[in-house]
Amino acid sequence: MNTQDKIRQQLGASRIVLYMKGTPQFPQCGFSAKAAQLLSACGARYDSYDVLSDPELRQGLKEHSNWPTFPQLYVNGELVGGCDIMTELYQKGELQKLVTEAIAQ
Amino acid sequence: MVQARDIERMIEQGFPGARVRVTGDDGRHFEALVVSGAFAGKNMVQRHQMVYRTLGDKVGGEIHALSLKTLTPEEE
């Protein structure tokens, strides 16, 4: 399976997917750690993937979404953004809404 | 090492007439404010992608993180 198919499968397997450096328990970058914290603050269950352990996935995602950095949050297969967009949405209460609506569907 | 003003110049080339201010002095983490009418009608992700496109492959490589504020003149 090529990388783009793998990404599509991962995005199809869960409504909320976080691609990050490291894992929620052991984040390897401050921005990835913040993204995981924001999602847990919203009480969201989500799939996370460590792009540091899969360089092909890391490169494939940059092309898939024309987004060069991590973390990358996807809801319902759509790119929501990275750490600063997630933070801005959280401060406006929109991240909570986005996440609860996705889970409720 | 990338300098804030290099990033400013690259973004300005991609956004003629925009007001661009980039800060950051550790060579890897930067913040950029970009005010341009080109953002009208675009959501946050699209706006950030427009800025990333002006920086080629620098972001995610030499530039570890670029925190963006992207506004139209009316939103400022």
Side-chain angles (χ1 to χ4, degrees):
Chain A
M1 186 194 321
N2 73 34
T3 303
Q4 293 304 326
D5 291 336
K6 186 160 88 171
I7 292 170
R8 265 187 293 275
Q9 189 193 32
Q10 291 169 342
L11 291 179
S14 170
R15 294 188 192 291
I16 305 173
V17 178
L18 181 68
Y19 291 103
M20 62 184 292
K21 290 180 177 177
T23 64
Q25 293 74 26
F26 301 105
Q28 299 302 307
C29 159
F31 300 105
S32 286
K34 173 103 191 244
Q37 280 158 14
L38 288 173
L39 284 178
S40 63
C42 296
R45 272 185 343 284
Y46 59 95
D47 284 359
S48 77
Y49 295 92
D50 176 9
V51 297
L52 293 180
S53 61
D54 189 340
E56 270 169 26
L57 176 64
R58 181 176 185 172
Q59 188 50 37
L61 280 161
K62 292 185 180 178
E63 285 143 23
H64 173 84
S65 55
N66 182 14
W67 195 268
T69 55
F70 293 92
Q72 292 181 16
L73 173 66
Y74 291 78
V75 173
N76 295 324
E78 291 287 318
L79 175 64
V80 172
C83 189
D84 56 356
I85 287 181
M86 286 177 71
T87 305
E88 201 167 321
L89 290 175
Y90 183 79
Q91 283 156 358
K92 294 186 212 161
E94 286 170 24
L95 189 62
Q96 294 85 330
K97 200 159 69 71
L98 200 61
V99 159
T100 35
E101 272 164 21
I103 293 175
Q105 268 163 23
Chain B
M1 200 170 79
V2 179
Q3 305 283 343
R5 66 178 178 285
D6 304 326
I7 298 173
E8 236 164 55
R9 207 171 17 80
M10 293 173 81
I11 297 176
E12 277 161 354
Q13 273 157 13
F15 285 86
R19 196 160 63 75
V20 184
R21 198 162 44 78
V22 177
T23 54
D25 47 22
D26 68 1
R28 287 176 57 70
H29 304 86
F30 298 90
E31 288 196 16
L33 166 68
V34 185
V35 182
S36 166
F39 293 139
K42 299 275 196 301
N43 66 29
M44 260 198 288
V45 172
Q46 291 162 327
R47 294 180 183 197
H48 288 208
Q49 285 169 324
M50 289 162 73
V51 176
Y52 284 138
R53 253 191 293 278
T54 70
L55 297 169
D57 57 7
K58 285 215 179 310
V59 181
E62 286 170 80
I63 300 172
H64 177 75
L66 176 60
S67 177
L68 290 171
K69 248 217 166 335
T70 49
L71 303 169
T72 62
E74 298 73 31
E75 289 163 350
E76 209 194 342

